[in-house]
Structures are given as structure tokens and as C-alpha cells.
């Protein structure tokens, strides 16, 4: 169950980052709610995951999911560059996260 919590935490980090982008563009209550709730729930699930998963592994996986998710959201919804090097490095992050999962 800890890995499910960790995946939820990473996904909610992406929600929080999306909220940051919304705040930068539309300084309104809804944008702040997305940002705050995304990060509050993200940290909550990260804390639950870290009861079982070692802190270093949990943090690395959480930031990896957030980095990949944030980059993909930027590329798909905010017009960020979709060049092959960015996709290659996203793949490397995913390989590293899978490697951490298999060694924990």
C-alpha cells in the first residue's frame, strides 16, 4: 500500500505544480486552492508512504514522479518544447525510479 501512497503523492505534487502555474497566470482563489490542496495531500501521502519505504527512496521517487509529471503537463498543456532530448531524459528518470523500486 505504501507504493500506492507514494504514487498518489507524486501525482498530487503535479497537481500542486499545476496550481502554481495557475496562480502565476490567474491570481484567484481557485488557483490557490489547487496549489494548496495539491501540496497538502501530496505531503500527507508522502508521509504515509515513508512509514514503510525508506526516506531516500521515497523522496527520490516522489520528486521523479513530480518532475516527469510537471514536464509532461508543461509540454502537453502549456506549449513547452517537445524535443527528443527532453523525452530522453524523462525516460531516464523513469528508469531510475523503476530501479529504486526494484532494489527497495
Amino acid at each position: 500500500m505504501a507504493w500506492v501512497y507514494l504514487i498518489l503523492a507524486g501525482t498530487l505534487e503535479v497537481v500542486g505544480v499545476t496550481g502554481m502555474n495557475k496562480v502565476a497566470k490567474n491570481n484567484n482563489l481557485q488557483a490557490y486552492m489547487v496549489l494548496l490542496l495539491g501540496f497538502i495531500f501530496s505531503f500527507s501521502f508522502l508521509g504515509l508512504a515513508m512509514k514503510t519505504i525508506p526516506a531516500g527512496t521515497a523522496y527520490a521517487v516522489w520528486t521523479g514522479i513530480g518532475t516527469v509529471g510537471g514536464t509532461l503537463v508543461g509540454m502537453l498543456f502549456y506549449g513547452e518544447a517537445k524535443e527528443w532530448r527532453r523525452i530522453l531524459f524523462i525516460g531516464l528518470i523513469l528508469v531510475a525510479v523503476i530501479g529504486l523500486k526494484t532494489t527497495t
Side-chain angles (χ1 to χ4, degrees), residues 2-78:
W3 283 98
V4 172
Y5 291 148
L6 188 55
I7 291 168
L8 281 171
T11 303
L12 288 164
E13 182 189 9
V14 175
V15 171
V17 169
T18 302
M20 287 172 47
N21 196 11
K22 287 181 176 286
V23 166
K25 293 180 183 209
N26 309 322
N27 195 5
N28 61 30
L29 181 61
Q30 181 186 9
Y32 278 103
M33 292 305 293
V34 171
L35 181 146
L36 290 173
L37 291 175
F39 283 126
I40 287 169
F41 284 108
S42 177
F43 282 116
S44 298
F45 281 114
L46 178 61
L48 290 172
M50 288 174 61
K51 290 181 179 182
T52 305
I53 300 171
T57 301
Y59 182 72
V61 171
W62 177 70
T63 57
I65 293 169
T67 301
V68 169
T71 303
L72 290 175
V73 166
M75 289 184 344
L76 296 173
F77 299 108
Y78 295 107

